């Protein structure tokens, strides 16, 4: 197969998967977070400290606090991801293009994804 054909096939596969914002497996050791075409993070599940799900006015938020960073997802119908986190089955997260929101139906749809280091503790007193 030519290099051009391989590139075309890869782009076609990426276009077909562009609406997928999460993936899961039976059990995984780490969560891969894709924040852009040029950046991805790997977070070992054994470093997860807490997970917090909140919902208000049809907008969901899921915050995953790892040892050094917090991964924050915003979107719709994110609650099923909580079970995948609890069972260490969530393997991939990435934001989905907004044009796919109508096709997501009741599936989790990640509109925003942020990775930020934990804030240093503030001095009190």
């Amino acid at each position: 197969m030519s290099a051009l054909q391989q590139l075309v096939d890869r782009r076609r596969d990426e276009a077909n998967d562009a609406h997928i914002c999460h993936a899961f497996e039976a059990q995984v050791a780490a969560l891969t977070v894709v924040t852009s075409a040029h950046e991805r993070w790997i977070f070992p599940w054994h470093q997860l400290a807490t997970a917090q799900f909140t919902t208000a006015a049809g907008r969901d938020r899921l915050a995953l606090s790892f040892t050094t960073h917090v991964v924050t997802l915003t979107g719709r119908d994110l609650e099923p991801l909580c079970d995948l986190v609890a069972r260490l089955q969530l393997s991939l997260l990435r934001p989905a293009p907004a044009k796919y929101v109508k096709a997501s139906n009741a599936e989790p749809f990640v509109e925003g994804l942020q990775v930020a280091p934990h804030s240093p503790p503030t001095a009190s007193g």
Side-chain angles (χ1 to χ4, degrees):
M1 183 181 296
S2 72
L4 178 58
Q5 185 62 45
Q6 289 175 344
L7 178 62
V8 169
D9 290 344
R10 188 173 69 226
R11 293 289 168 115
R12 184 179 304 125
D13 290 342
E14 289 172 358
N16 289 339
D17 291 343
H19 65 286
I20 298 171
C21 55
H22 75 284
F24 60 94
E25 297 176 34
Q27 191 166 21
V28 292
L31 171 65
T32 299
V33 178
V34 179
T35 54
S36 74
H38 306 289
E39 182 178 62
R40 77 179 47 216
W41 299 76
I42 309 295
F43 293 99
W45 279 118
H46 72 270
Q47 292 184 0
L48 180 69
T50 62
Q52 180 188 27
F53 172 79
T54 56
T55 188
R59 308 285 296 166
D60 293 348
R61 180 179 173 275
L62 178 59
L64 305 174
S65 181
F66 290 90
T67 305
T68 59
H69 289 76
V70 176
V71 177
T72 305
L73 296 75
T74 54
R76 300 180 185 174
D77 299 309
L78 299 181
E79 192 169 10
L81 298 180
C82 295
D83 290 334
L84 295 174
V85 169
R87 293 190 309 259
L88 305 178
Q89 293 178 328
L90 190 61
S91 61
L92 174 76
L93 287 172
R94 65 180 174 195
K99 66 183 179 181
Y100 292 109
V101 70
K102 289 182 181 177
S104 69
N105 296 324
E107 290 289 313
F109 190 82
V110 178
E111 295 172 345
L113 187 57
Q114 180 183 14
V115 176
H118 280 288
S119 301
T122 58
S124 58

